[in-house]
Amino acid sequence: MGIPTYRRSARTDWRMWLLLAFGLVFLWAGSVIDPADNCSDDGRECAPWLVPLAQGFGALVALGAGLNMLANPNRGSFIDPATGELVWWQGRIGRSGGDEGRIHPSQIAKVRIVRQEDSDDEVHLYDRAGARLFWLDQEVIPWPYERWAGRLKARWPHIVVERVD
């Protein structure tokens, strides 16, 4: 019932895979369609410039999705078995540490899950002094957030889990 190492969320993955597929379809279509053939039979409706535009759009979307998927494993969190600390990080590139932090769960006082109707939910963690732990948010913990917070509370019962709708 431990807190597993988190590297990427399934919710992010399907969206990025969908964007990558969308971009690759446009990129492929732009490379197989001849711009000169992109006209109606009577020649009245002709837009040969749309083919390279669609191909460029597809390349841009596929590149963006691919880079996001490469960067995604570079953020996460886990419980360090040697120290028992909760370790989190964002923005790791190569060997650089990026933005990271450590805290022992005994020092965490509250997990606040803020439900948002029009966007992704937010998660905020607070230490015993009431200070918010920056960089330790929804970007580095797995979804569903309630399950993750419940596992944390099960191991450290003093942690208050608050849901704000």
Side-chain angles (χ1 to χ4, degrees), residues 38-149:
N38 192 27
C39 297
S40 62
D41 290 336
D42 61 4
R44 296 178 127 200
E45 296 175 12
C46 192
W49 57 271
L50 279 177
V51 174
L53 182 68
Q55 187 177 21
F57 175 72
L60 188 65
V61 169
L63 179 67
L67 289 175
N68 185 293
M69 289 191 317
L70 283 175
N72 203 14
N74 296 328
R75 57 183 175 243
S77 62
F78 71 97
I79 298 290
D80 185 350
T83 63
E85 294 176 318
L86 177 60
V87 180
W88 69 93
W89 65 92
Q90 288 184 10
R92 281 190 178 170
I93 299 172
R95 294 180 186 249
S96 76
D99 300 317
E100 60 184 52
R102 293 175 165 262
I103 189 170
H104 195 276
S106 64
Q107 298 303 312
I108 297 173
K110 179 170 44 174
V111 177
R112 177 181 287 159
I113 302 168
V114 181
R115 297 283 203 183
Q116 297 187 9
E117 196 170 307
D118 296 335
S119 62
D120 290 340
D121 296 343
E122 292 182 3
V123 179
H124 308 288
L125 276 80
Y126 297 89
D127 64 14
R128 289 187 178 256
R132 183 166 169 233
L133 303 172
F134 291 100
W135 308 114
L136 182 51
D137 57 16
Q138 66 277 359
E139 292 289 324
V140 299
I141 62 173
W143 187 83
Y145 307 128
E146 288 85 6
R147 185 181 322 157
W148 181 86

